Amino acid sequence: MTAAPEAREMVAIAALAAAEKGATDIVALDVSDTLVITDAFFIASADNERQVNSIIEEIEDKLRESGHKALRREGTREGRWALLDYGDLVVHVQHDDERDFYGLERLWKDCPAMEIEGIEAPSRDRANEVDPDLAGSGE
């Protein structure tokens, strides 16, 4: 099974909106074979809390314009890790520090990355990065 066409459409809209606001390391993962509650994860990074919220607002605006409304919205007050739940798509916009620490790509590394037209793949593979704090700790 692969992500539904509607989820793929939402990923494309979210990615272009995030890129427009300066998001970095934009990635989408097809989690449809692993999770029953959603088809795709969209993940992007920002340098600071204000930018996290700016990216989230732009994604929400663009998705709303195309007829999609978030079912739930979390973390926007803190601006460190904001989440938008659209059912078929879950959007994660994280401050760079949270992204490096929590490593969503490492947790979901068995899920295939989705190609996003018009968005260049990240220059580094976060799924294979090793947390320096855990390296050599036997974990």
Side-chain angles (χ1 to χ4, degrees):
M1 182 162 36
T2 60
E6 187 172 19
R8 291 183 173 283
E9 174 197 345
M10 287 191 290
V11 162
I13 293 166
L16 293 173
E20 191 174 299
K21 289 297 182 176
T24 57
D25 289 335
I26 295 171
V27 174
L29 302 174
D30 183 336
V31 296
S32 60
D33 284 340
T34 307
L35 294 174
V36 294
I37 59 172
T38 192
D39 279 359
F41 279 174
F42 173 84
I43 309 165
S45 297
D47 292 338
N48 58 60
E49 292 85 354
R50 181 181 260 164
Q51 189 180 19
V52 167
N53 285 326
S54 175
I55 293 165
I56 282 290
E57 288 173 15
E58 186 70 11
I59 291 170
E60 265 187 313
D61 288 348
K62 296 295 184 189
L63 284 169
R64 189 178 314 107
E65 288 171 11
S66 37
H68 305 285
K69 185 173 189 229
L71 304 172
R72 189 170 56 217
R73 161 183 231 264
E74 297 179 19
T76 55
R77 184 169 300 163
E78 298 82 16
R80 300 292 295 181
W81 180 349
L83 180 142
L84 299 172
D85 181 357
Y86 285 91
D88 288 341
L89 170 67
V90 176
V91 173
H92 301 270
V93 179
Q94 299 175 302
H95 187 285
D96 289 327
D97 295 340
E98 268 65 16
R99 179 118 179 230
D100 290 337
F101 182 79
Y102 289 102
L104 291 179
E105 288 93 341
R106 284 191 308 272
L107 294 173
W108 299 99
K109 68 182 176 204
D110 294 336
C111 297
M114 298 170 70
E115 206 170 299
I116 308 168
E117 190 173 327
I119 301 294
E120 190 175 322
S123 59
R124 60 182 197 233
D125 185 3
R126 288 179 176 266
N128 293 321
E129 286 181 6
V130 176
D131 185 339
D133 294 334
L134 297 177
S137 69
E139 293 183 33

